[in-house]
Amino acid sequence: MNLFPLFVDLRSRPVLLVGGGTVAERKARLLLEAGAHLSVGAPTLTPTLEGWRDAGRIVHLPGDFQAHWLQGQRLVIAATDDIAVNQEVAAAAETHNVFVNVVDDAELSSFQVPAIVDRSPLVIAISSGGAAPMLARKVRERLEATLEHSLGPLARLLEGFRGRIRARFPDLAQRRRFYDELWRGEVARLVEQAQPEDASQALSAALEQPDGATAGSVTLVGAGPGNPELLTLAALRALSTADVILFDRLVQADILAMARRDAVFIDVGKEGGGTHVPQERTHELLLEYARTGAHVVRLKGGDPFVFGRGGEEIEFLHAHGVPYRVIPGITAALACAAYTGVPLTHRNHAQSLRLLTAHCNTDFGDEDWAALAVGRQTLAVYMGVRALPVLREKLLTHGAQPDTPFVLVENASLPQQRTVCGTLAELVELATQHAVQSPALLILGPTAQYAQQLHWYGAPPLTNA
Ligand code: SAH
């Protein structure tokens, strides 16, 4: 380690910034946030820096760099684009025993300003010791994406409780377990929902429990259409902290592979038309696991609230007093549209979108067929391919145009995606000819015509050869 990492308290301490351009302005902003008493030495300032000078937030030292500016300073940052000036600042800083950073010049610097991820009061600093600042930036981007923004408020809440937690769990291992639980449980959840008072109460309550345990919970998570890239950050976080994961048939193995390794995985997937684990049993499992204090993820294909029975599940959890939350996912209709270049609404062609499904693969129930058959709208039909003949017959009988374009998408967003295009009149024959298999979704309506032209993912669309 060439550099010793440290966090410096700059509040009310004198710091000198040499340079008055945009880079200097960026540094000045950070230094002011840290509460430094900031002097900016430069012949001219950016308008923002001028504003800060006029508001008395910084002191302006006008003109070219003078070595005596360094007197009494704790740190100096040189942010000019003139190498000679930067060298002069660095040399003068050495003479005055002041730590110096020259922006983008590790050689001239005696300290580095790391890349940071700011979840104040939690701050992560990343440095490559000047060797590869771009790499440090990449790491920062990754951390930005994976660390929830509620970490800051959570850290602030814990700050107030530190003494109590320490007194309640003098044993380090016990304390660690408590914090681990806190991280994933109700308290963190309430902080995330910006309910600091409730979070504080929940934390107090947890401290009064005999073993400091908090209640279990269930998170309904939408896994999206299959491609792991389409998971939300929230879904990824839920998966990585779950104790138990109940998943559906449509959830891909590589999504499960992103979950916590030592979680308990339970397949409650539906097979074909029937259910291999009945819905009631899924409800019971959710309840049983949550009651053991576990954090359960109920992982569903697409979005939990689009033909996913998510509503029934939270109704059940609500009735049994189990805390729950719902993380939306990209539903199949949105994925199929995006991955075939078919807009679901279009100023000139389609003003509304309807999502519908065939119950039990072939039966549509009491649909309002006349309303579904009219033009200027898009139908997205979730279903087994077996329902296509009924669908076509009903729509045509109710006045749909036989030349209405369709796109039928199998395994949307996955490398094996297949797309079939044509008109309503030839829908059934084309699906049969190309042996379209589940999971597949039908988009029917004027915008489906775009697939032939704007399709961009995977193999080109199959048509009536
Ligand atoms: N909750 C899910 C839908 C569950 S119903 C969602 O929001 O997407 C299951 C149906 O979704 C399948 O029969 C199929 O019509 C559709 N489906 C799911 N994933 C799909 C995919 N990758 N490609 C095409 N259709 C898909």
Side-chain angles (χ1 to χ4, degrees):
M1 184 166 34
N2 291 333
L3 297 174
F4 184 78
L6 90 158
F7 286 87
V8 183
D9 183 357
L10 287 181
R11 283 172 301 176
S12 302
R13 298 212 159 92
V15 174
L16 172 68
L17 183 63
V18 183
T22 49
V23 177
E25 180 186 311
R26 221 168 49 230
K27 298 289 169 190
R29 192 182 296 277
L30 280 175
L31 289 165
L32 287 176
E33 267 172 35
H37 179 75
L38 186 61
S39 302
V40 180
T44 56
L45 299 178
T46 65
T48 304
L49 285 169
E50 278 177 355
W52 290 340
R53 175 198 60 200
D54 296 344
R57 297 188 63 194
I58 60 172
V59 175
H60 182 204
L61 306 171
D64 293 333
F65 173 67
Q66 309 286 319
H68 71 81
W69 288 352
L70 280 162
Q71 261 156 30
Q73 304 290 352
R74 294 294 184 97
L75 291 179
V76 56
I77 296 184
T80 81
D81 51 10
D82 184 331
I83 298 175
V85 174
N86 287 346
Q87 278 169 342
E88 208 185 319
V89 176
E94 278 309 308
T95 324
H96 283 78
N97 267 330
V98 179
F99 275 109
V100 61
N101 173 262
V102 178
V103 175
D104 286 337
D105 194 333
E107 290 289 304
L108 287 180
S109 302
S110 55
F111 77 93
Q112 299 285 335
V113 181
I116 60 169
V117 180
D118 190 358
R119 300 287 185 274
S120 285
L122 188 87
V123 178
I124 299 167
I126 305 140
S127 161
S128 65
M134 284 311 277
L135 192 68
R137 247 167 261 165
K138 275 271 163 257
V139 172
R140 188 192 74 83
E141 276 165 26
R142 277 203 207 161
L143 290 175
E144 272 294 352
T146 48
L147 295 175
E148 49 272 64
H149 284 261
S150 55
L151 274 182
L154 183 63
R156 202 158 287 129
L157 173 73
L158 292 177
E159 190 178 21
F161 274 84
R162 257 185 85 191
R164 274 179 71 188
I165 296 174
R166 186 177 278 268
R168 174 73 180 74
F169 300 107
D171 175 58
L172 181 65
Q174 249 188 343
R175 199 154 66 235
R176 221 174 250 162
R177 259 199 309 279
F178 181 75
Y179 276 114
D180 186 41
E181 180 57 29
L182 211 64
W183 186 254
R184 305 180 298 141
E186 194 55 13
V187 174
R189 195 176 309 259
L190 289 164
V191 170
E192 212 173 278
Q193 291 166 25
Q195 296 173 332
E197 273 151 37
D198 292 352
S200 174
Q201 269 173 22
L203 181 48
S204 285
L207 282 170
E208 270 143 38
Q209 294 288 318
D211 53 359
T214 52
S217 66
V218 175
T219 306
L220 258 62
V221 177
N227 186 330
E229 291 293 313
L230 297 179
L231 277 179
T232 63
L233 294 176
L236 192 61
R237 276 180 207 131
L239 284 174
S240 63
T241 56
D243 298 309
V244 180
I245 298 172
L246 274 73
F247 62 96
D248 277 350
R249 183 179 57 96
L250 280 178
V251 176
Q252 301 288 317
D254 40 5
I255 287 180
L256 292 176
M258 297 172 92
R260 193 174 145 205
R261 297 274 149 182
D262 51 355
V264 176
F265 292 84
I266 302 170
D267 179 357
V268 292
K270 298 180 179 71
E271 289 291 352
T275 331
H276 98 226
V277 174
Q279 187 67 30
E280 295 68 36
R281 181 65 193 136
T282 301
H283 288 180
E284 280 165 22
L285 285 168
L286 291 174
L287 188 60
E288 281 167 22
Y289 279 109
R291 287 205 166 141
T292 65
H295 298 293
V296 184
V297 160
R298 172 73 180 99
L299 188 62
K300 291 166 167 293
D303 180 86
F305 282 179
V306 179
F307 307 125
R309 304 187 80 165
E312 291 163 50
E313 288 175 12
I314 64 167
E315 217 178 323
F316 175 85
L317 296 169
H318 180 76
H320 288 83
V322 176
Y324 59 83
R325 60 180 183 146
V326 184
I327 297 175
I330 293 178
T331 190
L334 301 186
C336 290
Y339 280 72
T340 55
V342 169
L344 291 170
T345 65
H346 192 294
R347 238 164 8 126
N348 304 332
H349 305 293
Q351 273 66 44
S352 69
L353 163 70
R354 289 171 187 253
L355 308 182
L356 57 149
T357 183
H359 312 285
C360 313
N361 278 315
T362 51
D363 165 25
F364 279 92
D366 299 324
E367 304 294 344
D368 178 356
W369 290 103
L372 294 177
V374 299
R376 299 189 74 77
Q377 64 176 340
T378 308
L379 304 185
V381 193
Y382 294 68
M383 56 185 207
V385 189
R386 275 180 281 166
L388 292 176
V390 180
L391 179 76
R392 175 174 68 176
E393 193 260 315
K394 292 275 192 194
L395 287 173
L396 289 177
T397 318
H398 288 82
Q401 295 300 315
D403 64 353
T404 308
F406 79 82
V407 46
L408 187 57
V409 195
E410 181 188 282
N411 284 311
S413 83
L414 296 168
Q416 66 270 33
Q417 172 177 319
R418 290 202 310 153
T419 307
V420 180
C421 292
T423 62
L424 179 57
E426 55 194 5
L427 169 64
V428 178
E429 292 69 27
L430 278 176
T432 313
Q433 183 186 329
H434 296 296
V436 175
Q437 303 285 321
S438 177
L441 181 133
L442 175 74
I443 298 177
L444 185 74
T447 63
Q449 65 182 312
Y450 286 108
Q452 305 222 21
Q453 187 193 344
L454 301 180
H455 181 276
W456 58 273
Y457 182 80
L462 303 161
T463 51
N464 203 346

